[in-house]
């Protein structure tokens, strides 16, 4: 059975003096807490609700450029309105937060589908710091009515991190693997995507979200795309397309003849951006 790890454990040693511990703590940069900002309309909606929570039947979290581009082309295009942000802030060399630069550095955008208002999509194009992922997860779930929620997480990682009995060169890329919380196993249909084999694990925000859902007894499915290169191409986006027929996405998406053009535009913009740093 596949496993996932989301806990961050801290260990102390009796061989270190307390004063040394204090010095080490002071040398560590201060990590800002993520901040969730809803639009004015959503704030009013939350305040009027009996439980002061936002109704949500499906939460879709995308982590990284490949998943974000896929969702942008097949789900968000002409079907969504931005309703908020989760800003993680920027840590400068002195360990302080540059609030004025937060929106351009580590912002996760929140959208709601016009045709399915119970569906909320969170796009995380930038990596969330490991020290912030649990606070980030707690922040978003504390604002949502999770009584009937189903969570879908899309992520990607380099195929070099994939552990298999055969050589990586013998594996055709890109490919998908799946992990589910216990409630998703019992409530959802069998996955058409193979489960992530041991000893492979997931990390970062995906692991934090899946761990939260497991502990909170919420149905959640995580799909990880293993990519050949750190540079995104069309296949990096399209590896997720089987999910349009086999997950909750089949109920909220419709045929989009312009999806390929949208993906090419996203790819061109990203290629131009990457070339500026070469």
């Amino acid at each position: 059975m596949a496993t996932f790890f989301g806990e961050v454990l801290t260990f102390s040693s009796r061989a270190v003096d307390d004063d040394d511990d204090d010095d080490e703590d002071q040398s560590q940069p201060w990590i800002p807490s993520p901040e969730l900002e809803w639009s004015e309309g959503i704030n009013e909606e939350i305040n009027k609700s009996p439980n002061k929570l936002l109704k949500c039947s499906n939460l879709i979290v995308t982590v990284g450029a490949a998943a974000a581009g896929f969702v942008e082309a097949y789900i968000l295009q002409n079907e969504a309105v931005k309703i908020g942000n989760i800003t993680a802030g920027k840590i400068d060399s002195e360990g302080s937060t540059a609030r004025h630069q937060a929106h351009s550095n580590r912002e996760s955008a929140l959208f709601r589908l016009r045709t399915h208002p119970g569906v909320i999509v969170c796009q995380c194009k930038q990596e969330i710091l490991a020290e912030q992922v649990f606070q980030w997860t707690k922040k978003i779930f504390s604002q949502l009515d999770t009584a009937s929620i189903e969570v879908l997480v899309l992520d990607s990682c380099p195929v070099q991190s994939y552990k298999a009995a055969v050589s990586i060169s013998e594996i055709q890329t890109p490919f998908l693997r799946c992990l589910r919380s216990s409630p998703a196993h019992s409530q959802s249909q069998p996955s058409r995507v193979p489960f992530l084999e041991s000893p492979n694990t997931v990390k970062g925000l995906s692991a934090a979200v899946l761990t939260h859902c497991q502990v909170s007894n919420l149905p959640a499915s995580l799909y990880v795309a293993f990519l050949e290169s750190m540079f995104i191409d069309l296949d990096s986006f399209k590896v997720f397309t089987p999910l349009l027929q086999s997950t909750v996405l089949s109920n909220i998406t419709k045929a989009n003849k312009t999806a390929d053009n949208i993906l090419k535009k996203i790819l061109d913009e990203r290629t131009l951006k990457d070339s500026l740093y070469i």
Side-chain angles (χ1 to χ4, degrees), residues 158-160 168 170-175 226-229 235 239:
V159 71
Q160 288 77 13
I168 294 298
E170 300 179 28
I171 302 176
Q172 185 176 359
T173 56
F175 60 91
F226 287 88
L227 309 179
E228 177 67 27
S229 170
D235 289 339
V239 66

Side-chain angles (χ1 to χ4, degrees), residues 15-62:
V16 181
D17 292 336
D18 291 341
D19 292 341
D20 293 337
D21 284 341
D22 293 339
D23 293 340
E24 183 177 351
D25 291 341
Q26 292 177 3
S27 65
Q28 296 296 321
W30 175 70
I31 307 298
S33 298
E35 297 183 5
L36 173 57
E37 300 177 355
W38 294 114
S39 65
E40 183 177 351
I42 295 298
N43 274 324
E44 292 178 359
E45 186 175 330
I46 293 175
N47 291 331
K48 291 179 180 179
S49 66
N51 55 8
K52 304 301 180 183
L53 297 172
L54 182 64
K55 289 184 178 181
C56 180
S57 58
N58 296 99
L59 174 64
I60 302 172
V61 180
T62 68

Side-chain angles (χ1 to χ4, degrees), residues 65-75 77 232-241 244 256-271:
F70 165 76
V71 167
E72 188 169 332
Y74 288 95
I75 300 175
Q77 191 68 22
I232 303 297
D233 57 17
L234 285 178
D235 289 339
S236 303
F237 299 129
K238 290 192 172 184
V239 66
F240 293 104
T241 54
L244 296 172
N256 183 2
K257 297 181 180 180
T258 64
D260 284 355
N261 291 332
I262 297 172
L263 290 176
K264 289 178 182 178
K265 181 179 178 181
I266 295 173
L267 182 60
D268 289 342
E269 291 175 351
R270 181 171 179 83
T271 301

Side-chain angles (χ1 to χ4, degrees), residues 149 180-188 213-220:
I149 197 173
R180 284 179 168 178
S181 64
S182 296
H185 274 292
S186 60
Q187 297 177 18
S188 303
C213 292
Q214 177 69 21
V215 173
S216 303
N217 201 36
L218 301 176

Side-chain angles (χ1 to χ4, degrees), residues 38 52 64 110 117 125 137 140 145 198 222 228 272 277-278:
W38 294 114
K52 304 301 180 183
L110 292 161
K125 296 182 180 181
T137 302
I140 182 65
D145 185 346
S198 295
L222 163 64
E228 177 67 27
L272 177 61
Y277 298 95
I278 296 177

Side-chain angles (χ1 to χ4, degrees), residues 60-64 67-68 71 121-125 152-155 205:
I60 302 172
V61 180
T62 68
V63 182
V71 167
V121 179
C122 183
Q123 267 191 325
C124 303
K125 296 182 180 181
L152 176 65
V153 185
L154 307 180
D155 198 354
L205 183 60

